[in-house]
């Protein structure tokens, strides 16, 4: 069987089930993915073209050639570009190759959001009020595609025109279809979806719900199953409507019916994804079903083994999407680089990590920046959340910027813990953008004390060689230190004393006890601070006392100095920050879609200067002030890196 997806993570996931079922696998890949994990995991691998997706993973001719060459009898499309492509499914059927998914009729019916809405209405499924035709250019949601791409909210005529332009460009780029539709915006909604499973014999089940309300730019970040919001009656009503829709289009395979749910538990059909969803592992955790195995059985023609009454809700599962993204830029703009160090927290109980990368893997501009899906589960939601907290603290990712700081803040936020969430959670809780973990007085003392203890531990290690003191005339080891610790523009005078592996630190008039193994070569730094276990990560440290620690998910730069060095450093000149109001730099790696200005043009504050596309999303970059354009350093079609100079203003 061929695993056909540019997401190595889902290809690896499918292959694991295939191996359990005794099915041999073939991975198709682009040339830049030749050393990817899913390629190594497969029994065979075939290169289908260069890095750009339209020349490789979307290249149906090359993929069909790979199928013929390897004699593959079936294709699992994952959840990537061809997973909902009816033309691809038709070509497979013409050559007697099984498509592990629904038939072309269901893909076509549900892939077009206008047609799917009409079919849902006919099947007595609640739908969002809106215009049922294609939106004209002057008059916003994609008609094809999914994953929240291209969706924009418009509050006035200007935003409608701007949204139409960017959404149609994004739609054409990502899905080859620039049609748009318009629907009523449901204010403060929850995004709750129902997993369905149907066979070719008219049987269909709903496998409970997944809450997917935590989103940025209409794309999911944290999901959980079940939802804290639904009562049994609403759950059943949603499940039954989802099954009605599946039966109406003669659906056979795993699929997902997505709903928006308002504060009064009124629910409205949003779309049906005719494929495996990214967040399917949390459904597997609470039901005990292997959805990939079920898809393969259904595609082979077997009837479902389960009845509706057999589907349980056992415990609680939470999924965090770990991305190579900078969460401090619009809650997550793509980051690229090589994973210089990578360690998944799979040693912890009831933790599942679905990934397709390893240490040394490259995160490129060509594909989705997801690193992994981190899943924790337990008997209760509180237990699952506690395990997620520990898993995020124990997840080691070096070489790329990642969104673990944001994920950890979300799952520990009081509002999230209470279950009071909507799709507006992130902009409501962080109206000025995400700033990382905000230290309390206690948190600041914990971090300062740990940094001081780490500094002293490193000093002590440097004094010894092969277990002996380097300088033999030293009468005994030092046991007390007076230090200055700088953190967030504040300075703390601390006194440190040591007894064995425990350090007692006096900071701001408070005593803090820090103890641990102090293995300075380990990526993880497990410590106990005033009898509370913590896992920190020391990301960097140098001889000048600069230490970068990951504490409660967020990176903090700390400087630890002796009293003398601290006094002298006060005389060092400070670097003057760059004036960024006159320059526009790329906030992310990507390709230039359009440049709207030329040298000599006068631009207004907020005027669009250029559009950058990164990992299938288009971003409009604007002028920070009214000024004359001095120089333009990019043109459409060029690839740019994060921080590259694009336009300079006078």
């Amino acid at each position: 069987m061929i695993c056909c997806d540019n997401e190595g993570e889902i290809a690896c996931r499918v292959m694991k089930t295939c191996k359990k079922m005794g099915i041999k696998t073939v991975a198709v890949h682009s040339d830049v993915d030749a050393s990817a994990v899913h390629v190594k995991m497969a029994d065979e691998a075939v290169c289908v073209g260069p890095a750009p997706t339209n020349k490789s993973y979307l290249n149906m001719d090359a993929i069909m050639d790979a199928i013929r060459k390897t004699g593959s009898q079936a294709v699992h499309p994952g959840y990537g570009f061809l997973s909902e492509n009816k033309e691809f499914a038709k070509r497979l059927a013409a050559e007697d190759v099984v498509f592990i998914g629904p038939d072309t009729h269901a893909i076509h019916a549900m892939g077009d959001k206008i047609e799917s809405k009409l079919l849902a209405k006919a099947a007595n499924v609640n739908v969002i009020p809106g215009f049922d035709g294609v939106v004209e250019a002057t008059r916003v949601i994609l008609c094809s595609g999914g994953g929240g791409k291209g969706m924009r909210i418009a509050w006035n005529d200007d935003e409608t025109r701007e949204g139409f332009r960017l959404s149609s460009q994004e739609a054409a780029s990502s899905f080859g279809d620039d049609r748009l539709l318009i629907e009523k915006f449901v204010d403060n909604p929850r995004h709750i979806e129902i997993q369905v499973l149907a066979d070719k014999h008219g049987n269909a089940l709903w496998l409970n719900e997944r809450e997917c309300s935590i989103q940025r730019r209409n794309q999911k970040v944290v999901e959980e199953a079940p939802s804290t919001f639904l009562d049994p009656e609403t759950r059943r009503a949603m499940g039954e409507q989802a099954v009605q829709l599946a039966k109406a289009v003669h659906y056979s395979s795993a699929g997902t019916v997505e709903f928006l749910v308002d504060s009064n538990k009124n629910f409205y059909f949003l779309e049906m994804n005719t494929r495996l969803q990214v967040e399917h592992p949390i459904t597997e955790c609470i039901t005990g079903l292997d959805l990939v195995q079920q898809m393969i059985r259904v595609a082979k023609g077997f009837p479902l083994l389960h009845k509706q009454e057999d589907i349980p809700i056992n415990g609680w599962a939470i999924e965090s999407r770990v991305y190579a993204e900078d969460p401090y830029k619009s809650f997550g703009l793509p980051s690229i680089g090589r994973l210089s160090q990578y360690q998944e927290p799979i040693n912890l109980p009831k933790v599942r990590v679905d990934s397709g990368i390893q240490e040394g893997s490259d995160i490129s501009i060509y594909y989705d920046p997801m690193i992994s899906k981190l899943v924790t589960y337990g008997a209760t939601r509180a237990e699952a959340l506690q395990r997620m907290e520990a898993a995020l603290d124990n997840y080691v990712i070096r070489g790329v910027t990642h969104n673990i700081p944001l994920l950890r803040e979300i799952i520990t936020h009081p509002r999230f813990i209470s279950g009071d969430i909507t799709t507006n959670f992130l902009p409501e809780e962080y109206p000025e953008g995400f700033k990382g973990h905000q230290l309390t007085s206690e948190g600041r003392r914990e971090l300062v004390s740990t940094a001081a203890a780490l500094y002293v531990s490193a000093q002590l290690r440097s004094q010894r060689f092969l277990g002996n003191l380097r300088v033999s005339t030293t009468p005994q080891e030092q046991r007390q230190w007076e230090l200055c610790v700088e953190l967030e523009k504040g300075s703390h005078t601390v006194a440190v004393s040591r007894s064995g592996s425990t350090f007692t630190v006096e900071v701001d008039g408070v005593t803090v006890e820090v103890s641990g193994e102090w293995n300075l070569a380990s990526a993880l730094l497990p410590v106990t601070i005033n009898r509370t276990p913590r896992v920190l990560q020391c990301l960097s440290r140098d001889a000048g006392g600069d230490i970068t620690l990951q504490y409660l998910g967020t990176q903090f730069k700390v400087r630890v100095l002796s009293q003398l060095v601290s006094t002298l450093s006060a005389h060092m000149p400070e670097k003057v920050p760059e004036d960024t109001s006159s320059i526009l730099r790329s906030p992310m790696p990507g390709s230039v879609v359009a440049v709207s200005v030329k040298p000599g043009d006068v631009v207004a504050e907020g005027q669009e200067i250029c559009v950058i596309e990164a990992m299938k999303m288009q971003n409009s970059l604007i002028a920070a002030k009214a000024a004359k354009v001095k120089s333009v350093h990019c043109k459409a079609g060029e690839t740019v890196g994060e921080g590259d100079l694009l336009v300079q203003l006078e």
Side-chain angles (χ1 to χ4, degrees):
M1 181 177 76
I2 277 194
C3 294
C4 178
D5 198 303
N6 76 301
E7 302 282 359
E9 168 269 314
I10 189 59
C12 292
R13 162 71 189 89
V14 171
M15 288 177 195
K16 287 175 184 176
T17 290
C18 288
K19 288 182 185 298
K20 287 193 298 184
M21 298 177 72
I23 299 171
K24 289 190 175 181
T25 57
V26 179
V28 295
H29 63 89
S30 67
D31 54 7
V32 297
D33 280 345
S35 299
V37 174
H38 74 283
V39 174
K40 297 175 183 176
M41 191 174 179
D43 295 295
E44 293 182 69
V46 179
C47 181
V48 290
T53 53
N54 63 333
K55 296 180 180 179
S56 52
Y57 294 107
L58 279 173
N59 186 343
M60 283 189 256
D61 289 337
I63 292 171
M64 294 304 297
D65 286 343
I67 292 168
R68 298 183 196 103
K69 177 182 177 182
T70 59
S72 295
Q73 299 171 308
V75 170
H76 195 299
Y79 48 67
F81 290 113
L82 294 177
S83 60
E84 296 177 287
N85 188 300
K86 63 181 182 294
E87 180 60 31
F88 183 54
K90 280 182 183 176
R91 292 185 64 170
L92 293 175
E95 300 204 21
D96 264 348
V97 177
V98 176
F99 179 75
I100 301 179
D103 62 23
T104 54
H105 167 71
I107 295 173
H108 173 76
M110 293 295 102
D112 188 299
K113 289 181 170 54
I114 295 174
E115 185 172 342
S116 67
K117 184 176 178 180
L118 295 173
L119 284 167
K121 267 186 179 179
N124 294 319
V125 176
N126 303 344
V127 297
I128 303 172
F131 178 65
D132 289 339
V134 178
V135 181
E136 299 299 328
T138 57
R139 296 212 3 183
V140 180
I141 294 177
L142 298 180
C143 295
S144 299
K149 297 191 189 307
M151 291 176 61
R152 283 176 171 80
I153 301 167
W155 299 100
N156 54 50
D157 289 350
D158 288 342
E159 290 184 7
T160 302
R161 281 187 282 270
E162 179 70 358
F164 181 90
R165 181 178 68 84
L166 291 172
S167 288
S168 40
Q169 286 175 3
E170 226 166 77
S173 173
S174 294
F175 308 109
D177 185 348
D178 64 357
R179 294 175 304 146
L180 304 177
L181 63 82
I182 190 165
E183 291 179 331
K184 172 188 174 183
F185 175 62
V186 179
D187 205 7
N188 294 317
R190 285 176 177 258
H191 187 139
I192 299 177
E193 59 192 30
I194 300 290
Q195 176 72 59
V196 295
L197 182 63
D199 62 22
K200 300 178 186 296
H201 305 278
N203 304 306
L205 306 171
W206 49 275
L207 309 182
N208 303 308
E209 80 279 4
R210 296 185 289 256
E211 170 92 50
C212 308
S213 296
I214 303 298
Q215 303 180 1
R216 50 102 178 91
R217 299 191 304 278
N218 300 309
Q219 291 186 292
K220 303 162 190 172
V221 180
V222 176
E223 302 105 342
E224 60 183 308
S227 167
T228 60
F229 190 60
L230 296 192
D231 53 57
E233 292 74 24
T234 308
R235 176 178 294 117
R236 186 180 307 108
M238 292 177 71
E240 288 173 352
Q241 286 200 16
V243 165
Q244 284 169 210
L245 181 59
K247 288 185 174 181
V249 295
H250 307 291
Y251 195 83
S252 61
S253 192
T256 300
V257 181
E258 302 195 0
F259 293 94
L260 289 182
V261 186
D262 69 18
S263 57
N264 295 316
K265 293 190 173 71
N266 298 308
F267 57 90
Y268 305 96
F269 170 73
L270 184 62
E271 65 177 341
M272 183 176 187
N273 289 306
T274 56
R275 54 174 167 80
L276 196 64
Q277 288 281 88
V278 175
E279 56 273 19
H280 77 275
I282 54 178
T283 295
E284 294 184 327
C285 287
I286 68 166
T287 62
L289 295 179
D290 182 329
L291 292 181
V292 173
Q293 182 184 40
Q294 297 298 320
M295 293 178 76
I296 294 171
R297 291 187 76 262
V298 167
K300 185 66 176 173
F302 292 113
L304 297 180
L305 294 173
H306 304 84
K307 304 294 183 186
Q308 189 62 57
E309 57 269 20
D310 299 331
I311 306 302
I313 298 181
N314 287 331
W316 213 284
I318 296 170
E319 176 178 293
S320 292
R321 298 194 187 190
V322 181
Y323 282 104
E325 288 183 337
D326 186 343
Y328 302 99
K329 296 178 179 177
S330 300
F331 300 111
L333 292 183
S335 169
I336 62 172
R338 176 165 294 177
L339 292 167
S340 57
Q341 194 170 8
Y342 184 73
Q343 185 177 311
E344 296 173 347
I346 51 177
N347 59 308
L348 301 179
K350 295 192 176 180
V351 172
R352 169 176 168 176
V353 182
D354 284 17
S355 67
I357 48 88
Q358 61 187 0
E359 195 163 286
S361 292
D362 287 310
I363 307 295
S364 73
I365 65 170
Y366 297 108
Y367 311 124
D368 191 275
M370 182 184 286
I371 293 174
S372 75
K373 301 181 311 197
L374 177 63
V375 179
T376 59
Y377 48 102
T380 64
R381 185 172 187 260
E383 190 177 312
L385 282 172
Q386 187 177 31
R387 288 189 168 129
M388 180 60 72
E389 201 174 327
L392 290 168
D393 285 342
N394 282 270
Y395 207 145
V396 178
I397 303 172
R398 307 277 196 275
V400 296
T401 305
H402 54 77
N403 68 332
I404 282 180
L406 176 62
L407 294 172
R408 200 184 188 286
E409 284 300 297
I410 291 170
I411 61 110
T412 58
H413 196 289
R415 182 176 161 190
F416 180 82
I417 292 171
S418 73
D420 176 25
I421 57 176
T422 70
T423 55
N424 298 322
F425 177 87
L426 289 178
E428 285 175 356
E429 293 304 318
Y430 308 102
E432 303 300 319
F434 180 67
K435 307 296 184 185
H437 179 74
Q438 301 303 298
L439 291 171
T440 62
S441 297
E442 182 182 5
R444 185 171 284 101
R445 287 193 296 269
E446 283 192 6
L447 186 54
V448 166
S449 300
T450 303
L454 180 64
Y455 174 85
V456 170
S457 183
Q459 293 292 308
L460 291 172
R461 188 178 74 163
S462 68
Q463 294 172 11
R464 306 187 73 87
F465 179 71
L466 297 178
N468 299 312
L469 291 173
R470 290 179 182 271
V471 182
S472 58
T473 56
T474 302
Q476 61 181 12
E477 283 189 345
Q478 184 178 349
R479 293 190 176 276
Q480 290 189 323
W481 296 262
E482 295 289 330
L483 303 171
C484 179
V485 181
E486 298 173 3
L487 170 65
E488 293 185 332
K489 298 182 180 179
S491 182
H492 305 262
T493 300
V494 302
V496 183
S497 59
R498 169 178 169 262
S499 176
S501 62
T502 299
F503 292 87
T504 302
V505 184
E506 294 282 342
V507 53
D508 299 337
V510 178
T511 301
V512 180
E513 278 199 353
V514 185
S515 60
E517 297 177 2
W518 305 106
N519 181 352
L520 302 180
S522 173
L524 299 174
L525 185 65
V527 295
T528 300
I529 307 174
N530 286 344
R531 295 180 293 282
T532 300
R534 300 271 191 214
V535 176
L536 285 76
Q537 296 185 32
C538 182
L539 306 180
S540 67
R541 58 186 178 85
D542 60 28
D546 289 318
I547 302 173
T548 302
L549 290 173
Q550 184 171 305
Y551 169 73
L552 302 182
T554 295
Q555 295 180 19
F556 292 93
K557 294 184 182 297
V558 187
R559 173 174 285 184
V560 185
L561 305 170
S562 67
Q563 292 287 6
L564 175 60
V565 173
S566 175
T567 302
L568 296 175
S569 68
H571 301 286
M572 297 293 288
E574 290 189 14
K575 183 179 179 181
V576 178
E578 181 183 37
D579 177 13
T580 58
S581 65
S582 297
I583 57 174
L584 180 69
R585 295 188 182 277
S586 179
M588 76 213 85
S591 59
V592 180
V593 174
V595 180
S596 308
V597 298
K598 62 184 184 298
D601 286 355
V602 176
V603 296
E605 181 180 350
Q607 180 179 332
E608 179 179 284
I609 290 182
C610 62
V611 177
I612 302 292
E613 182 174 82
M615 295 165 179
K616 301 182 282 188
M617 294 291 289
Q618 293 199 355
N619 303 272
S620 175
L621 306 185
I622 61 175
K625 65 178 183 179
K628 190 175 183 180
V629 177
K630 181 179 181 181
S631 57
V632 177
H633 300 270
C634 64
K635 59 184 178 181
E638 283 186 343
T639 299
V640 295
E642 181 180 356
D644 284 1
L645 179 62
L646 303 176
V647 175
Q648 191 169 9
L649 306 176
E650 290 184 353

